[in-house]
Amino acid sequence: MKLLLLALLAVNMGGIKYLDSSFNVYDRMQKTVHEYAEPGFLEYKSSALLASHLEENGFSVEWGVAEIPTAFIASYGSGKPVIGILAEYDALPGLSQDTTAFNSPLAGKEYGHGCGHNLLGTGAVASAVAISKWLAEGHAGTVKLFGCPAEENAGAKAFMVRDGYFDGVDCVLAWHPSSVNMIQRNSAIARIGVVFTFKGKPAHSAGAPHLGRSALDAVEAFDYMMNLNREHFPPETKFHYVISNGGEAPNVVPAEAQAYYFLRHPSVKTLKEVLEWTKKAAEGAALGTGTTVECDVLSGNYPILINEHLSRMALKNLIKVGGVKLDDREKAFVDEVKRNSGSTSMGNFSKFETVRDYFGPIIATGGSDDVGDVSQVVPLFKVNTTVNVAGAHTWQMATLAGTTIGTKALINAAKVMYLTAVDLYTKPKELKAVRDEFESVRGANPHYEPLMGDRKPPIDFYTNQK
Ligand SMILES: [Zn+2]
């Protein structure tokens, strides 16, 4: 009996040993991606680094997925089940940051890993390689790592889902750096990214303003109307915008101006209604200012459909793996970051060593996530491991993500995904339970309708932004 138990335990330990002994490999990799800090759709060096490591480990790599140059799929093994793992590697504007315990943007660098996607991508790769080592021992099944660009701006996963790249995948495993070790219970909210471009007539602003029609006036009228609408939109609607083009010079009546909006709501149906109302506001603003308007939905994301059975399987493995264990030097560094954070520190909220070993209710708060679109077509879970002492999109995350603390967190996440993958490969009943729950939640004749329609990925919009 004892021998049988030991044999069972040893069944999945190979990948764990691999991850423990590869700390330095993935430490170097995440720090290199941290240094590259490339914006969405321009992650050429980051995606190449991750993909080449997978290739060296026997994966076959397909590039240009969904017509996106920095999207790739790396596959290993053969036959069913097919387990997918999501990797991200894009950085954020305004968050360039050295790995110091205080806010220190790097000279001449705009982008930084304020959401820890250098860890996300590297941890996903580490996990996929660990799984491939286990498959190589003679087990049936396939692992597919999805290299997903531009999570922060356009959400490439929605385009990859729309174009059928997740067809035939049985389950997807995902993770994100966080300030708590837990299985995610936040389903996020649906989001539409939409650009309104107004066109008027140029004229000398002082010499002949009566001959001009200001596209900027239209943007201002539109934004004003939207802010009045805040009170009357369906409860839980959120929207925010920037003026992505406000004209060139005060002495020329702007012939073209543009507002870039994010509209959000927990319900996709309500969000679509909010979009229609927003379009009416834009048309009204154009009518009143003698301009015209064009509306372009760039991107859209669904909320995350959380699979309870798969989440429970992952929680067991997270408890097995445990929290992120810091040494004295790392603890001192975390304390210093906290001290330098002032009110932005989440203080004792951040928990490195402990694991949240229970499930609260599913909530729909905060931002949006293109993992949502994947969850509409494949059951998935998302595990969080602790890296940070403040919220996401902060210098604190950008700093901590570039240290060994981040590497420890990514190794832990890789272990949880690895163990859960092995469970899914070896326990067909568990996989069936996951799939059955997924089918029953989606109901008969499920239909995924991408929120951005059939447009091409808006790569040019982002690369041309001033
Ligand atoms: Zn993120």
Side-chain angles (χ1 to χ4, degrees), residues 190-203:
R191 177 192 70 90
I192 284 175
V194 52
V195 159
F196 294 91
T197 306
F198 293 87
K199 287 191 177 151
K201 271 190 220 161

Side-chain angles (χ1 to χ4, degrees), residues 259-410:
Y260 176 27
Y261 270 70
F262 275 8
L263 308 172
R264 305 190 205 240
H265 195 278
S267 150
V268 168
K269 185 174 168 288
T270 309
L271 182 61
K272 285 182 182 169
E273 290 161 13
V274 170
L275 174 65
E276 289 315 306
W277 191 345
T278 302
K279 283 182 186 169
K280 291 269 178 268
E283 284 161 18
L287 192 65
T289 52
T291 60
T292 59
V293 64
E294 267 174 35
C295 157
D296 185 7
V297 176
L298 297 179
S299 62
N301 298 129
Y302 275 66
I304 303 175
L305 199 58
I306 289 175
N307 189 284
E308 292 288 349
H309 194 91
L310 190 52
S311 296
R312 273 197 296 279
M313 289 173 70
L315 181 60
K316 269 190 208 156
N317 290 324
L318 174 62
I319 292 166
K320 234 182 258 174
V321 169
V324 177
K325 293 186 181 56
L326 306 182
D327 61 27
D328 289 346
R329 186 184 53 87
E330 290 162 339
K331 277 183 191 158
F333 187 75
V334 165
D335 285 343
E336 210 182 328
V337 172
K338 274 187 192 169
R339 268 198 302 279
N340 292 332
S341 297
S343 61
T344 54
S345 169
M346 289 167 131
N348 292 331
F349 175 70
S350 61
K351 303 226 182 298
F352 283 87
E353 311 232 340
T354 55
V355 167
R356 188 176 291 175
D357 58 358
Y358 60 91
F359 281 150
I362 290 175
I363 47 165
T365 57
S368 311
D369 189 339
D370 62 356
V371 168
D373 292 72
V374 181
S375 76
Q376 300 297 318
V377 298
V378 192
L380 61 77
F381 78 88
K382 200 167 172 180
V383 58
N384 291 158
T385 57
T386 306
V387 178
N388 195 12
V389 298
H393 299 197
T394 55
W395 69 263
Q396 291 92 336
M397 175 66 105
T399 278
L400 290 160
T403 67
T404 49
I405 299 165
T407 311
K408 286 183 174 176
L410 80 83

Side-chain angles (χ1 to χ4, degrees), residues 39 42 60 99 101 123 131 160 179 214 216 276 312 320-321 342 453:
L42 294 175
S60 60
T99 49
I131 293 168
M160 295 161 80
S179 48
S214 169
L216 179 61
E276 289 315 306
R312 273 197 296 279
K320 234 182 258 174
V321 169

